[in-house]
Amino acid sequence: MSLNKDGSYTGFIKVQLKLVRPVSVPSNKKPPTLQDARRGPGRGTSVKRRTSFYLPKDAVKHLHVLSRTRAHEVIEALLRKFLVVDDPRKFALFERAERHGQVYLRKLSDDEQPLRLRLLAGPSEKTLSFVLKENDSGEVNWDAFSMPELHNFLRILQREEEEHLRQILQKYSYCRQKIQEALHACPLG
């Protein structure tokens, strides 16, 4: 780390990527390798078509950041490095700490400063490291999806609803048939 004249400081943080779901990149580009990501972001911000792929398991990226850099800015920088066009709100930065043989994860708020946390924790990665994961708050943030993704969700829901209705109608039709068979089998009386 180095101290700047204005009292801020710069340094490197190491972030481990633990993503379970695929990420989206512009389809006119091949999925980036770790070497591609080290070279920096590509040109062009308008994305019409996307390709999804899985980032390498447990990929690690070092970022040079300022002490003022916030967690949400770290997420955006990581996504730019890997050319990911997904909404940054789909991801969260976590603080990982090992104490007494236990691993603890804590989601950082958007305004926390990772380099400051790294400095306060000391050099040991067991004391503190950073992990980028999906932002699974349990609630779906529909604003984070593109229009094609939302239309696709609607089509999937429509298919599921139609299948569920078909199963219910089939069940009641079967019950109706069995009742009618029982009525015809009983003598009038």
Side-chain angles (χ1 to χ4, degrees):
M1 283 191 212
S2 56
L3 184 62
N4 299 324
K5 291 179 183 177
D6 65 357
S8 67
Y9 44 94
T10 59
F12 285 92
I13 60 169
K14 178 178 167 182
V15 181
Q16 183 179 19
L17 283 70
K18 284 196 167 272
L19 302 175
V20 177
R21 298 185 202 112
V23 294
S24 298
V25 296
S27 67
N28 58 343
K29 300 184 184 295
K30 65 179 175 65
T33 62
L34 286 174
Q35 289 76 24
D36 294 335
R38 287 187 188 110
R39 287 187 211 119
R43 292 193 175 110
T45 56
S46 174
V47 178
K48 292 185 177 154
R49 298 186 56 75
R50 296 174 174 199
T51 298
S52 293
F53 76 102
Y54 290 92
L55 282 173
K57 189 171 178 68
D58 294 332
V60 173
K61 185 69 183 157
H62 291 84
L63 289 176
H64 190 254
V65 296
L66 295 168
S67 56
R68 297 184 294 267
T69 304
R70 311 259 180 230
H72 70 91
E73 294 169 315
V74 169
I75 294 168
E76 291 167 0
L78 284 167
L79 297 180
R80 272 193 311 274
K81 294 267 184 201
F82 285 99
L83 306 175
V84 174
V85 294
D86 291 323
D87 191 310
R89 293 177 293 179
K90 289 182 180 180
F91 304 93
L93 193 62
F94 287 81
E95 169 186 279
R96 180 186 185 279
E98 287 183 44
R99 284 183 229 116
H100 310 295
Q102 291 279 80
V103 175
Y104 299 92
L105 280 178
R106 181 183 71 85
K107 182 178 170 182
L108 297 181
S109 72
D110 283 347
D111 292 327
E112 286 190 76
Q113 300 164 325
L115 186 58
R116 184 175 173 279
L117 294 172
R118 170 82 268 153
L119 180 65
L120 293 173
S124 173
E125 287 187 17
K126 286 190 174 205
T127 305
L128 178 100
S129 61
F130 298 105
V131 179
L132 181 73
K133 297 175 72 173
E134 284 87 2
N135 191 5
D136 288 331
S137 62
E139 228 178 85
V140 176
N141 183 3
W142 295 110
D143 294 331
F145 292 97
S146 67
M147 290 303 284
E149 289 173 316
L150 291 171
H151 285 295
N152 195 37
F153 289 141
L154 286 175
R155 280 193 295 275
I156 291 168
L157 286 173
Q158 179 68 34
R159 285 185 197 138
E160 288 179 359
E161 181 182 356
E162 288 169 359
E163 176 60 23
H164 191 66
L165 281 172
R166 188 190 64 73
Q167 289 173 358
I168 290 172
L169 289 171
Q170 185 178 12
K171 175 183 170 184
Y172 282 100
S173 176
Y174 177 78
C175 288
R176 186 178 302 109
Q177 178 187 356
K178 290 298 179 186
I179 291 170
Q180 287 173 347
E181 287 174 8
L183 283 173
H184 290 297
C186 290
L188 294 174

